[in-house]
Amino acid sequence: MRVLICGGGVIGASIAYFLSRRGVEATVIERTGLACAASGKSGGFLASNWCDGTPLAPLARRSFVLHARLAEEIDDDWNYRPLTTYSGSMGLRRHSAGPGLNWLSAGVSVDQRLGSAETTAQVHPAKFTAAMMRGAQARGSELRLGRVTGVMRRGPRVAGVEVDGKTIAGDAVVVAMGPWSILATQWLPLPAVYGLKGHSLVFDTEAKVPAEALFLEVREAGGQVQTPEVFPRSDGTTYVCAISSESPLPVDPAAVYPDPGAIERLEQMCSEMSPVLAASKILARQACYRPVTRDGLPLIGRVPGVEGAYVATGHSVWGILNAPATGEAMAELIADSSAYSVDLSPFDPGRSPPFDPARLQKS
Ligand SMILES: Cc1cc2nc3c(=O)[nH]c(=O)nc-3n(C[C@H](O)[C@H](O)[C@H](O)COP(=O)(O)OP(=O)(O)OC[C@H]3O[C@@H](n4cnc5c(N)ncnc54)[C@H](O)[C@@H]3O)c2cc1C
C-alpha cells in the first residue's frame, strides 16, 4: 500500500511516522519545506487537560502521553521537557513578580499556576516535525518537494496526486496542508478550512530564563489588550507569540510575512515584560497561520464519497499537541480501516457541507 500525504507540517509528518511503524510506505509531498509554516513557527506548548470538557479531550490526553513516550523511545532530540506554567498580567493590575519569575519586569504580576510538570510540557515544533519525518524515512518513507495540484481518481477511488503537473500513483491520499487544505476543495468534497495569523519572536536568552511557561494579559500603550504566550526552551531560546490577525492567507506558503507594525509592537511588549528579553538578541521575527474550521474542531478521517481519500487538518491552537494522536489514529484508519486508539467520530469530515471551490479567491 502506498499512501501519499499532501503537506509536510507536523500533522503530515506524524501520520507518515505512525504509518511507517506499521510497515506502510508513505510519501510526504511538501511544497515549500518541511515545517516551513505553523509547524515550525508555533509555540510547541503541550497540556494534558486543557481540552477537558470538549470533544478534543481524549485526543489531547492521548497525545500528551504519546509526546512523553516518543521522547523516551526515539533516539533524537526535539527539546521535549515537562515544565510549570503560570498566568499573569502587565499593565492591568500591579503586583511584583512571584518567586522564580524574577527575570520579569516589576510591572508583571504572576497570579496563578495553570499547570505543573505533570500536566504541561513543550517541544521545539520544527525539530519535532523533522524528527517524526526522519523516523518515517528510517522505515522507508519518503519526503518529496513539490506542489500538489490535484488528486487523480479511477472510478470512485483515488489513484494518486498530481505534483507540478506530473502524476504520482498511490492507493490512499491524505490532505494535511494546514490552512492550505482549502485549496484541496477543488479536488475533493471537503469542508472549509481557514487560516488565522499569529506573530512571534525567538530570543537568544541562553540560561537566563527558567523552565516556566507564561500566559499573560498585557495592555499595550494604545490601550489594546494582548495575550502573549512565553515559552523558554531547553535550547537556550525563548519564544513569544501574540497579535493575531485575519490577514488573508497567501496561496504560496513562502509568501507569509508579518503584518506591518506587528513585530515592532511585539518587540515593545517583550522589552516592557522583561529586561532579559530587552537585552537579548532576536533570532527570528515571524508570522504563521493556524488552520481553523467553522466549528473549531479538526477534520480527521475519511473524505465522504471518495474511496481512499482522507483529511487531517484544522487543529487550530493545538496542532503540535495533537499531532501524535492524530498520526496514530490516522495510521490505524488507513491501515486497519478503523481508528481504535481515539474515537474520531467528533472530527468526521462529513459533519459539515463541502466548501464550494468557486468561492476561492485567487491571490
Ligand atoms: C502563533 C502560533 C502559535 C502556536 N502555538 C502552538 C502551541 O504552543 N501548541 C500547539 O499544540 N499548537 C500551536 N499552534 C498551532 C499549530 O502550530 C498548528 O495547529 C499546526 O502547526 C498545524 O500543522 P499542520 O501540519 O496542519 O499545518 P502546517 O504547519 O501549516 O503545514 C501545512 C504544510 O502544507 C504545505 N503545503 C501547502 N500547500 C501545499 C501544496 N499545494 N502541496 C504540498 N504542500 C503544501 C505547506 O507548505 C505546509 O508546510 C500555534 C499556531 C500559531 C499560529
Side-chain angles (χ1 to χ4, degrees):
M1 183 189 217
R2 189 181 194 195
V3 180
L4 306 174
I5 301 172
C6 312
V10 72
I11 300 299
S14 299
I15 296 169
Y17 174 74
F18 281 95
L19 278 170
S20 76
R21 281 190 11 171
R22 305 177 145 260
V24 176
E25 203 185 307
T27 300
V28 174
I29 305 143
E30 163 56 41
R31 172 172 174 162
T32 307
L34 191 70
C36 66
S39 299
K41 295 174 180 159
S42 77
F45 177 77
L46 317 172
S48 66
N49 54 0
W50 290 22
C51 298
D52 283 4
T54 78
L56 279 172
L59 189 74
R61 282 188 171 264
R62 173 75 188 154
S63 232
F64 191 80
V65 168
L66 283 177
H67 268 288
R69 201 174 286 172
L70 290 169
E72 292 237 310
E73 283 172 3
I74 301 178
D75 186 20
D76 206 328
D77 183 15
W78 51 87
N79 302 123
Y80 171 83
R81 69 173 173 185
L83 80 179
T84 313
T85 302
Y86 294 95
S87 67
S89 59
M90 182 173 79
L92 297 168
R93 278 161 283 153
R94 282 202 170 266
H95 302 288
S96 58
L101 301 186
N102 53 9
W103 66 280
L104 297 168
S105 306
V108 178
S109 121
V110 172
D111 32 49
Q112 210 189 329
R113 197 179 80 158
L114 298 177
S116 68
E118 280 71 49
T119 58
T120 55
Q122 66 176 169
V123 296
H124 186 301
K127 292 182 194 172
F128 176 69
T129 305
M132 287 296 95
M133 194 63 237
R134 268 195 298 275
Q137 285 168 303
R139 290 182 162 96
S141 291
E142 191 192 357
L143 171 65
R144 281 206 196 180
L145 271 190
R147 181 165 68 106
V148 179
T149 47
V151 171
M152 323 305 296
R153 295 198 210 178
R154 193 175 305 119
R157 281 201 65 82
V158 297
V161 295
E162 187 188 81
V163 178
D164 297 318
K166 293 197 184 103
T167 303
I168 303 180
D171 309 295
V173 171
V174 183
V175 173
M177 303 194 308
W180 292 279
S181 302
I182 188 79
L183 299 174
T185 60
Q186 300 168 107
W187 321 320
L188 293 167
L190 286 171
V193 183
Y194 305 93
L196 266 188
K197 198 172 188 178
H199 297 83
S200 56
L201 299 172
V202 181
F203 294 87
D204 183 7
T205 45
E206 300 167 346
K208 292 174 200 137
V209 179
E212 292 159 338
L214 259 182
F215 286 74
L216 290 176
E217 253 189 304
V218 168
R219 191 185 299 282
E220 288 185 280
Q224 225 177 319
V225 174
Q226 295 289 341
T227 52
E229 300 175 7
V230 184
F231 305 126
R233 291 174 172 160
S234 65
D235 63 358
T237 63
T238 296
Y239 171 99
V240 185
C241 67
I243 309 185
S244 300
S245 91
E246 293 188 4
S247 308
L249 177 79
V251 169
D252 183 354
V256 173
Y257 302 106
D259 289 354
I263 290 296
E264 291 75 7
R265 279 167 62 199
L266 188 50
E267 284 186 31
Q268 178 69 29
M269 226 184 285
C270 290
S271 293
E272 288 168 16
M273 196 189 296
S274 160
V276 175
L277 295 182
S280 296
K281 186 175 168 197
I282 298 176
L283 301 174
R285 297 170 168 87
Q286 56 197 14
C288 61
Y289 287 84
R290 60 186 159 94
V292 293
T293 58
R294 269 204 188 287
D295 62 10
L297 292 178
L299 307 168
I300 310 174
R302 290 193 179 88
V303 177
V306 187
E307 284 171 43
Y310 301 84
V311 62
T313 189
H315 291 72
S316 189
V317 294
W318 290 121
I320 308 297
L321 167 65
N322 287 327
T326 299
E328 182 185 51
M330 283 294 291
E332 292 163 356
L333 183 63
I334 295 167
D336 298 345
S337 300
S338 70
Y340 37 85
S341 55
V342 183
D343 174 17
L344 291 181
S345 57
F347 318 122
D348 180 3
R351 71 185 184 273
S352 309
F355 179 77
D356 175 6
R359 292 172 55 206
L360 282 175
Q361 288 172 10
K362 306 270 182 258
S363 62

